[in-house]
Amino acid sequence: MGESDWIAFLSRPEIPRFQAKIADDGDVLSRLVFADWVDEHCPDREFAAALRSSIGPELTGDEFLCPGFPGEEYAAKLSNGQFVIAGGDSVLPNPNVPRSFVRSLWESGWLQTATLRDISSGGLRDWCRLPTPGTLQTLHVSGPELTDDDLFALAKSTHVRGLCALALGGDRIGSRGFHHLLTEGGVSSAINVLSVVSTSVDDAILVGLLGSDRFQCLTHLQLSNNRLGPESCRRFGSLSGLKHLQYLDLSYNQFGNDVSPLASGVRRPLRTVKLGSTGIGDAGVHDFCWNIHAPAWPLLERLELDDNDIGDGGAERVAGWLGMVSRTLRATDFPRSQEWLSTLDLRFNRIGDVGAVSLAAAPGVSNILLDGNPIGQAGAAALAASPHLDAELRSAWAEWSP
């Protein structure tokens, strides 16, 4: 490491901030945080190792294994302002790390993201008793044991206040607990990202909740692998809020062919819509797509309809819709016509040669994904010769053989 490298490293603006933090706190935690940063940014590995050894007991990387709370064993991880607690029998305590380390880490004021993965009911309730760091912006909570009652306990804590992003998971969590957490738990109306995945949440989640104006700042909404049904699509069709939504993931729910209300409900800023594994067939994809009008969805970039029940008839209707959209964009001089819907995912459906030939002739979308469909030689040849698909896809279909 030459002199110029040292000058560049020591001139970084983060170093005075670390020095001020260490001077104010005077504790081991602040020095460990600084050592982690040096490990990542200093080209001289010997200097980084020497700095760490001068602080305290040797720790491997940024993994700290320790008993964090009574009756529970956790792995806590500090990396780029993130705090991770992972429960499980495979986690063993490290005697070199004091019992108070997790608490000190949590109270340090450095943390922006907290992930409680596979945490038990008792562990979550212990964690809820900790003081809330004022810097916390993102919270991930998941565990197979968690129930609605645990979300009631989380709602009573201060950890959910001021969050920008909240993610929940656990197949015993239902709509009752989730609704209480959002309405009674002090979740900010300014929250941008909401993810509820692999739970028992059903259509009731949308009743009087997402349709209100309270959560209209949401930009990302993920409700995949829950128990949502056709009623949820109808609810989405009447939503007045969610005016800033850009990302919507409703995959792995059971909508069947009743998805068309969704297309007429949530519109303008959407960029990504995921409806994979929702039971959509030929009639459903026709009704859904033909309710999507480009001027009402001007930013749409990606539409995922993979792993459904769409056959040749549905593919032909999708191709017809793409042709109509293309003509509409040209007629209205739509300003984003070249970028509208760049990716259409139709993988793992029932599309054969007839559907593939129709899609190959459809204009407007350069990236149509069709892997996992029973496409034969005629369909592959049409896709390889398509003037609308990008070169990489055409090349892949040219080399494909049934």
Side-chain angles (χ1 to χ4, degrees):
M1 185 170 175
E3 182 178 354
S4 60
D5 294 326
W6 272 113
I7 293 175
F9 173 71
L10 296 174
S11 299
R12 295 188 62 135
E14 295 93 337
I15 292 180
R17 293 198 290 269
F18 278 116
Q19 291 173 331
K21 179 71 175 176
I22 292 171
D24 289 341
D25 296 342
D27 60 3
V28 173
L29 176 62
S30 297
R31 289 176 167 81
L32 285 173
V33 173
F34 179 55
D36 281 346
W37 182 85
V38 171
D39 277 344
E40 184 176 353
H41 296 92
C42 181
D44 190 332
R45 309 312 300 169
E46 292 183 3
F47 171 77
L51 176 64
R52 178 174 290 282
S53 64
S54 70
I55 293 172
E58 181 178 355
L59 300 171
T60 303
D62 55 3
E63 297 289 341
F64 306 94
L65 303 184
C66 58
F69 306 104
E72 298 286 344
E73 292 178 347
Y74 298 94
K77 179 178 179 181
L78 174 64
S79 176
N80 297 324
Q82 296 189 23
F83 177 74
V84 178
I85 300 177
D89 296 335
S90 62
V91 178
L92 300 176
N94 184 336
N96 293 325
V97 183
R99 177 176 290 272
S100 60
F101 184 82
V102 172
R103 181 178 291 272
S104 298
L105 182 62
W106 180 252
E107 297 174 354
S108 66
W110 289 76
L111 304 171
Q112 296 180 356
T113 299
T115 301
L116 282 66
R117 184 172 54 249
D118 296 328
I119 195 169
S120 67
S121 176
L124 177 62
R125 298 187 186 218
D126 285 335
W127 177 81
C128 286
R129 299 187 184 102
L130 290 176
T132 302
T135 54
L136 189 63
Q137 297 180 16
T138 302
L139 176 62
H140 303 259
V141 178
S142 66
E145 298 180 15
L146 299 182
T147 66
D148 286 345
D149 290 338
D150 297 311
L151 294 195
F152 274 76
L154 182 60
K156 293 179 181 178
S157 75
T158 57
H159 297 317
V160 296
R161 298 176 184 174
L163 291 176
C164 296
L166 173 64
L168 298 172
D171 56 15
R172 297 176 65 187
I173 295 175
S175 293
R176 183 176 66 94
F178 178 69
H179 186 278
H180 181 83
L181 176 63
L182 288 192
T183 56
E184 306 296 332
V187 175
S188 171
S189 60
I191 191 169
N192 302 128
V193 179
L194 181 60
S195 174
V196 184
V197 177
S198 301
T199 73
S200 295
V201 164
D202 56 24
D203 295 327
I205 191 175
L206 299 177
V207 178
L209 179 62
L210 297 180
S212 70
D213 291 334
R214 183 180 176 195
F215 296 103
Q216 61 179 310
C217 291
L218 280 176
T219 59
H220 288 64
L221 178 60
Q222 183 177 20
L223 297 174
S224 60
N225 197 26
N226 292 296
R227 297 185 180 180
L228 304 184
E231 180 62 26
S232 289
C233 290
R234 288 189 282 273
R235 296 280 179 182
F236 268 109
S238 60
L239 291 185
S240 59
L242 306 184
K243 297 176 181 178
H244 303 285
L245 197 64
Q246 300 178 22
Y247 176 98
L248 178 62
D249 184 355
L250 296 174
S251 56
Y252 295 95
N253 288 289
Q254 289 305 309
F255 300 140
N257 285 326
D258 298 322
V259 291
S260 60
L262 177 63
S264 59
V266 185
R267 292 186 174 185
R268 276 211 168 269
L270 272 174
R271 295 178 180 271
T272 299
V273 178
K274 296 188 175 185
L275 290 170
S277 298
T278 53
I280 300 174
D282 289 349
V285 75
H286 171 266
D287 293 344
F288 177 74
C289 288
W290 281 85
N291 274 287
I292 295 179
H293 304 292
W297 296 53
L299 303 179
L300 186 63
E301 297 173 353
R302 186 178 184 93
L303 176 60
E304 296 187 8
L305 299 168
D306 54 303
D307 197 18
N308 280 296
D309 194 33
I310 301 170
D312 284 335
E316 287 181 302
R317 295 169 185 177
V318 171
W321 166 67
L322 291 175
M324 182 274 294
V325 169
S326 180
R327 291 190 296 272
T328 300
L329 294 178
R330 289 197 304 268
T332 57
D333 194 24
F334 190 60
R336 287 181 58 89
S337 59
Q338 296 303 313
E339 299 179 33
W340 192 82
L341 191 59
S342 59
T343 299
L344 176 61
D345 189 347
L346 291 168
R347 293 174 298 169
F348 300 101
N349 280 282
R350 296 185 297 103
I351 300 171
D353 284 345
V354 173
V357 170
S358 296
L359 290 169
V365 182
S366 61
N367 194 24
I368 300 180
L369 307 180
L370 289 166
D371 299 349
N373 284 284
I375 296 173
Q377 194 64 50
L383 292 167
S386 172
H388 309 295
L389 297 182
D390 67 31
E392 186 175 347
L393 270 180
R394 293 199 307 270
S395 176
W397 283 111
E399 297 175 0
W400 181 87
S401 59

